[in-house]
Amino acid sequence: MSKGNIGVTSDNIFPVIKKFLYSDHEIFLRELISNAVDATQKLKVISRQPDAGNMPMDDLRVRVKIDKEKKTLTVSDHGIGMTAEEVDKYINQIAFSGAEEFLNKYKDQTEAIIGHFGLGFYSAFMVSKKVEIFSQSYMEDAKAVHWSCEGTPEYTMEETIKAERGTDIVLHIDDEFSQYLEDATIEGLLRKYCKFLPVEIAFGKKKEWKDGKEVELDEDNIINDINPAWTRKPSELKDEDYAHFYHELYPMQMDEPLFHIHLNVDYPFHLTGILYFPKIKTNLDVHRNKIQLYCNQVFVTDEVEQIVPEYLTLLHGVIDSPDIPLNVSRSYLQSDNNVKKISGYITKKVADKLAELYKADKDEFAKKWDDIKMFIQFGMLTDEKFYERAKGFALMKNIAGEYSTLDEYIDKVKATQTDKDGHLVLLYTNDADAHYTSIERAKAKGYDVLLMDGELDVHCMSQAEQKAMMNGENGENGENLRFVRIDSDTIENLIRKEDAAKDNYTDEQKEGLRKAFEALLPTADKLRYTVSCEAAAADALPVFLTQNEFMRRMKEMAAHQQGMSFYGNIPDSYNLVLNTNHPLIQELVGKETSEEVQEEVEKDGKKETVVKTVYSLANEDERLKQLIDIALLASGQLKGEALAKFVERSVTLL
Ligand code: ADP
């Protein structure tokens, strides 16, 4: 037996590391199993050499066992094993010095260590008071070796007898980490980190329920799928295989994905993977099933935000790349050239796939549009390159349920919806029921109305308008494309075909009526009303509400965006339009006579005289109130007491 000192310089590195890595000690299992898998893979390579001789290759499973009495956890493999010299070289010298170097480098960056590789074999000491290695090398005449170390820089090494080739790593689990002696904990960790390792991992035996009892079968309980779909050729896989793999990845997911993309690149970096498009209806769906990042089939993390653009994290699936640097800090990752290339590649692949699906079957694509639109819009809004690729298949839907790209839509409505100044006006609603009247008026003029009720639609409209302005799309000077919500003005004003119609009333006459209405408008916090007179269509309502498109849109965008709270705090403002072309208004205009009266009011216990304007019409004619209420009702703003009063008044008036 030999004794020695592990090649580390500081005596107390063990306890420091134990504490230091406290939050992520579970990775020890991944590290040990990765080593066992590597040793097995190496053996497979060696066995294929012409001079390999006859090596038993029948059982290459890696086995994980718990012994509750001895309080040990053992990882065994039948791989290449190690000779005494190799243990000395790889464990005593390299493994430990590697660990020390690593820790010195990242002492202040816990984040860099957590979840990343680099600690290797050494991480066993995070949870063990003693670690033993029993190893029998595949090499002829090699003697088996037993190495033991109790978490100090001293170790012992001696010759031993081991029946089978390969390595057993025996961890004597620290009392404080007794959870690693629980079957459920270990099985959970194996399923998390080892689910797709390329060598079979067995944990205990398969169990079955028989006559109300759980009995152990003779068969190993295999944790992993050694040929996960992403490692296979797309030509070997059917749609069912992709669907099956999806559920293997996310056992709790009931929904089927809409479609998938198989990633496969060798140059200038290695990357494989499968991405799935889930149905994304709301923000709530997001991030439930995250993209998983693997490195040669070893699970690394499901935090891929630094590796792919944010909108791509809405997708599901796996990415496997040995070329993503894992033992660096996350902020470094984003600036890494390989990572940038990988991100660019994935973006392009995703866009290409969507373009291909769109081209292959436009109707089928349109059917799926509502489920993927959030993802595509998010991508277009945040990634210029993706925008360029996606504008050819990003769709819009009109209220009749017809889909088209922006360009197709422009072609369709250009002739009818261009106003007298050459502006192309695209009409939309976010609620076809609420805007029923306005929509009908637009339809009567032969116009089309888009349905824009998605969370990101307002942002996309603004983006399309800006792009049109910059590119001079649809007109020489370019500033010609405008989205307006159908209720933001009268249809005649939204798409002005001729100069505004005039009426025959004087400004004073109209001003009097305006003031009378103004005096009767409801007041509320965060709500402002203005009144204007307009010669709208004779068959339009006598009074109606409009809401300025710009302000409303800014407010809507503010709800989603930081730094726009200025708009968010502005009250909602509506304009009450008095239609001077309507007989009811014509009957009222000019009838208004206001007078100023003095009134005594009590203020802070003192009597005060104030001058008040009394509008005759506002006071005497119930019809004004009724008209205002009709306008409010038509735009869904008449509620509660005001609604009850309206109903009562209607009965009285009848
Ligand atoms: P890394 O795996 O990153 O090289 P480790 O500290 O995990 O670092 O392991 C150091 C070396 O010890 C390995 O490179 C390998 O040569 C050897 N080794 C570790 N575990 C095994 C094993 N189960 N079978 C054979 N060799 C092993």
Side-chain angles (χ1 to χ4, degrees), residues 263 265 267-272 275 293 304 306-309 312 319-325 333 336-350:
L263 306 167
V265 61
Y267 183 83
F269 49 84
H270 291 274
L271 180 121
T272 48
L275 294 178
L293 177 67
V304 298
Q306 320 298 325
I307 295 159
V308 297
L312 287 178
I319 298 172
D320 187 333
S321 175
D323 291 333
I324 296 173
L333 214 49
D336 182 82
N337 257 339
N338 255 344
V339 171
K340 275 192 199 149
K341 277 186 213 146
I342 287 172
S343 168
Y345 166 80
I346 297 175
T347 305
K348 182 174 176 318
K349 270 297 217 185
V350 168

Side-chain angles (χ1 to χ4, degrees), residues 424-465:
L424 175 61
V425 182
L426 304 186
L427 303 168
Y428 72 93
T429 172
N430 63 340
D431 184 341
D433 279 340
H435 300 152
Y436 181 82
T437 320
S438 312
I439 292 172
E440 287 305 304
R441 300 195 68 80
K443 281 207 244 169
K445 291 202 175 281
Y447 300 154
D448 195 74
V449 180
L450 290 164
L451 182 62
M452 297 287 217
D453 56 356
E455 280 177 77
L456 298 176
D457 280 341
V458 195
H459 300 266
C460 291
M461 283 178 232
S462 297
Q463 186 185 36
E465 288 167 345

Side-chain angles (χ1 to χ4, degrees), residues 389-402:
R389 295 194 170 103
K391 64 180 182 189
F393 55 75
L395 300 182
M396 299 194 299
K397 177 161 81 165
N398 70 5
I399 49 169
E402 295 156 352

Side-chain angles (χ1 to χ4, degrees), residues 325 349 423 492:
K349 270 297 217 185
H423 298 294
E492 291 76 15

Side-chain angles (χ1 to χ4, degrees), residues 8 135 154 273 332 386 405 426 458 480 544 623:
V8 291
S135 194
E154 286 139 22
Y332 174 81
F386 188 75
T405 64
L426 304 186
V458 195
N480 289 339
F544 48 83
R623 280 185 298 176

Side-chain angles (χ1 to χ4, degrees), residues 35-36 39 42 77 80-82 90-91 95 119-122 167 169:
N35 282 348
K42 282 180 195 159
D77 66 67
I80 52 171
M82 284 179 278
Y90 296 130
I91 303 296
L119 273 188
F121 169 75
Y122 185 83
T167 305
I169 307 284

